[in-house]
Amino acid sequence: MSDLRELYQEIILDHNKNPRNFRVIEDSDHMAEGFNPLCGDRLTVYLSVKGDFVEDISFEGSGCAISTASASLMTEIVKGRSVEEVRALFEEFHKLVTGRGGQTRSLPGAEKLVVFHGVSEYPVRVKCATLPWHTLLAAFSDKEEPVSTE
Ligand code: ZN
């Protein structure tokens, strides 16, 4: 179990150090800002949606390792998925990080989200992990007001 924990830790640190899709999409058709005052995490999510599918997604901002790694993995995993699938993924992810299960294994391609399982032991970190997802959902609906976890 501790080997697995170390592996998860390594994946999170890698995504924090080299965040994927960390850029601005100049001609994005959706965007939203998110803020977690508890930790100081701030990010902007950019989206290009074609039909019902996420054609491209990116983010930028600054935050702790958990929020940055979560945003990075999220962009990797949701690219190419339908809006409906993304909503379902977030539900499972939310269950996972709040220690209520979460069936990431049943969501092909999203198994990696399990690396955030340990977050459920640190309630204060749950908001760091879920901020990018809340912001993504806000981007779908073009929320003008920044999303705040408080
Ligand atoms: Zn944080």
Side-chain angles (χ1 to χ4, degrees):
M1 189 61 204
S2 76
D3 283 356
L4 198 59
R5 199 175 273 249
E6 264 171 47
L7 171 70
Y8 290 173
Q9 195 77 21
E10 251 173 61
I11 294 172
I12 290 172
L13 292 177
D14 173 55
H15 275 268
N16 177 50
K17 224 159 105 185
N18 307 296
R20 322 300 197 260
N21 304 301
F22 191 83
R23 60 191 159 88
V24 176
I25 300 173
E26 294 293 349
D27 56 352
S28 66
D29 34 40
H30 301 274
M31 63 175 281
E33 286 172 44
F35 179 46
N36 173 16
L38 215 60
C39 178
D41 310 313
R42 250 177 218 287
L43 84 165
T44 307
V45 171
Y46 301 90
L47 267 179
S48 287
V49 178
K50 203 163 219 169
D52 211 21
F53 288 85
V54 176
E55 191 184 43
D56 201 5
I57 175 167
S58 71
F59 78 104
E60 62 162 17
S62 63
C64 66
I66 297 285
S67 70
T68 304
S70 176
S72 172
L73 257 166
M74 177 187 79
T75 59
E76 239 184 22
I77 284 169
V78 308
K79 204 185 275 190
R81 288 183 193 264
S82 72
V83 175
E84 203 177 317
E85 267 183 302
V86 171
R87 286 184 201 279
L89 269 176
F90 175 52
E91 260 178 47
E92 295 307 323
F93 181 66
H94 198 262
K95 282 185 204 159
L96 179 83
V97 296
T98 51
R100 291 178 295 129
Q103 301 295 317
T104 59
R105 270 177 226 87
S106 66
L107 298 161
E111 299 88 350
K112 276 186 195 166
L113 289 176
V114 80
V115 301
F116 292 101
H117 184 256
V119 167
S120 63
E121 287 165 38
Y122 307 94
V124 79
R125 289 287 175 209
V126 171
K127 285 174 179 172
C128 302
T130 56
L131 177 70
W133 290 85
H134 284 298
T135 311
L136 168 61
L137 293 193
F140 280 141
S141 51
D142 283 318
K143 270 205 176 161
E144 297 273 329
E145 291 285 296
V147 179
S148 175
T149 54
E150 288 305 298

